[in-house]
Amino acid sequence: MDQRYGEFIRRVRELADLSHAQGLLSWDQETYMPPRGTGPRARSLGTLAGIYHEKLTDPALVALVEELRGRELRGDEEVNVRYVERDQRRALKIPRELVVELSQTQSLAHEVWVEARKKSDFPLFRPWLEKILNLQKEVAHRVGFEGSIYNAFLDEYEPYARVETVAPMLEQLRLRLVPLVERIGATGRRPAAGILDQEFPVDRQEAFGRQALVDLGFDLERGRLDVSVHPFCSGTSPEDVRLTTRYNPRQLTGALFGIIHEAGHGLYEQGLPAEAGGTPVGGSVSLGIHESQSRLWENLIGRSRPFWEHYLPLLREHFPEQLKGVGVEAFYAAINQVEPSLIRVEADEVTYNLHILLRFELEQALVEERVAVAELPQLWDEKMEAYLGIRPPDAARGVLQDTHWSIGSIGYFPTYSLGNLYAAQFFSQARKEMPGLMEQVARGDLLSLKVWLNEKIHARGRRLRAGELVREVTGEELKVEYFMQYLENKYGELYGLG
Ligand code: MG
């Protein structure tokens, strides 16, 4: 490694140390910090963000990046310099006053949103969303984009993705999902009734969840599981990965699948290349690829029949009364019940992407100025009716339900659907390469799949872009087909669609 590149890496690792500290402070804020700790914590995080910005845009680092960009870089060096330049460009193009205004507006808007959702009062939130949109559009124009302005938003969460390719895929999903939901609805089957609607003591939910976490291969020497209001995975290093979940005594599946979901994120973080720690190469590819790892474990494994052939008897040891006489078929049908519902985070695998599609279409239209904020509630309700056949009775269960827009996260939603598509395509490839995979799962052996994902996806870090990774692992571009085939087979059988 030459001296200039060495100096570049030293500075980049310092930035990563700051991110590590920010990550832990934020994790603590969501888990253990006492309520009155908010003020000093916000100050501390603000100071760290300021130092980070200063170091990232330090003229010496800017000059280093420029010098290195001028060379013929290859491999990890090219990746590291390219990603730091990306971050730097963004940081340099947005003036400090705009950063401050955006962050203050977003935290105030978030508070107003909490209130507005409570009162189901969209007009209360409306001027704040307008303000956020205007500021975010200003950022997009300063950072620059090709084609639709929405590309500037999407690129922040799914680097190198383009709305010109994402929109047609989501449209294909809609064309196949809407009729599938209708056909399932027409059967009139409601298998979950009774089984899942019981008291499930939290301590036993936790005991089972922790066992599943260990069986999945999550290393508790390099990670933790705690409780928070909104479950998340915070990876500050492959050696220190924090997961959270939440328990509800009346609801078994929330915490259970929540733990498996976050464990999928956590396995990705623990599997990242430790030797590249603190540099872009050692990081994850995109939010969509991250989500593919959580969805793969949660849905393709966790909601599969073979998984429960092994785990139902173990779950019954924890809940002998509640699950007395419940067989694998009944349990499998119950955890895979499809039902159009108002709330995205409670949606099943089949209806979920329609919730995403609706948000994606609306936010794209908003930033492209084809619709106004004032029109959102009505458009939301119309789309819910068109896609899912139900209409929200109020804004709280409609347009006001998600926090994303209130914190300025516009362009984030499509990464959830991309995650589902990536997951199905990766999983199909895993099954091709390991023909006995589901028999292994039925015996409780989950580690072969974990090792496969470690090798094919995690250990590569950020060396490939999302599109390149999909091609490298599966030999094809990302396609809607794998996900739709998976859904149509699984739910066609479950609901006897023939
Ligand atoms: Mg997730």
Side-chain angles (χ1 to χ4, degrees), residues 261-262 265 291 294:
H261 179 99
E262 299 308 332
H265 284 301
E291 192 69 7
S294 56

Side-chain angles (χ1 to χ4, degrees), residues 32 71 123 128 133 196 253 261 267 324 387 402 438 440 444:
Y32 293 104
R71 297 185 190 174
W128 287 94
L133 259 176
L196 300 174
T253 50
H261 179 99
L267 289 174
K324 195 192 296 176
Y387 300 169
D402 295 304
M438 293 320 272
Q440 290 178 334

Side-chain angles (χ1 to χ4, degrees), residues 359-376:
R359 288 154 175 78
F360 164 70
E361 288 172 345
L362 291 178
E363 66 181 17
Q364 192 194 348
L366 276 177
V367 300
E368 290 177 354
E369 298 178 7
R370 287 184 281 115
V371 309
V373 171
E375 298 172 86
L376 276 185

Side-chain angles (χ1 to χ4, degrees), residues 32-99:
Y32 293 104
M33 189 186 79
R36 298 278 295 272
T38 319
R41 182 58 45 89
R43 267 207 316 280
S44 176
L45 281 167
T47 299
L48 282 172
I51 297 173
Y52 187 96
H53 186 270
E54 259 167 47
K55 285 191 173 282
L56 178 63
T57 57
D58 184 330
L61 183 57
V62 175
L64 258 175
V65 167
E66 210 177 280
E67 183 191 325
L68 293 168
R69 281 298 264 179
R71 297 185 190 174
E72 288 275 307
L73 294 176
R74 290 229 176 81
D76 286 5
E77 297 189 356
E78 188 275 328
V79 176
N80 282 330
V81 174
R82 173 159 48 87
Y83 277 101
V84 172
E85 196 208 11
R86 253 177 78 95
D87 292 349
Q88 234 174 22
R89 202 178 345 139
R90 197 178 170 82
L92 288 168
K93 283 188 171 172
I94 309 170
R96 217 187 167 101
E97 313 82 73
L98 182 54
V99 174

Side-chain angles (χ1 to χ4, degrees), residues 112-126 129 359 377 380 394-406:
V112 174
W113 168 77
V114 171
E115 179 81 14
R117 189 169 77 153
K118 214 179 281 167
K119 295 179 177 160
S120 200
D121 181 355
F122 183 77
L124 183 64
F125 180 54
R126 181 185 140 188
L129 183 54
R359 288 154 175 78
W380 182 289
D394 50 44
R397 282 171 282 181
V399 66
L400 284 176
Q401 68 183 266
D402 295 304
T403 185
H404 299 59
W405 291 339
S406 82

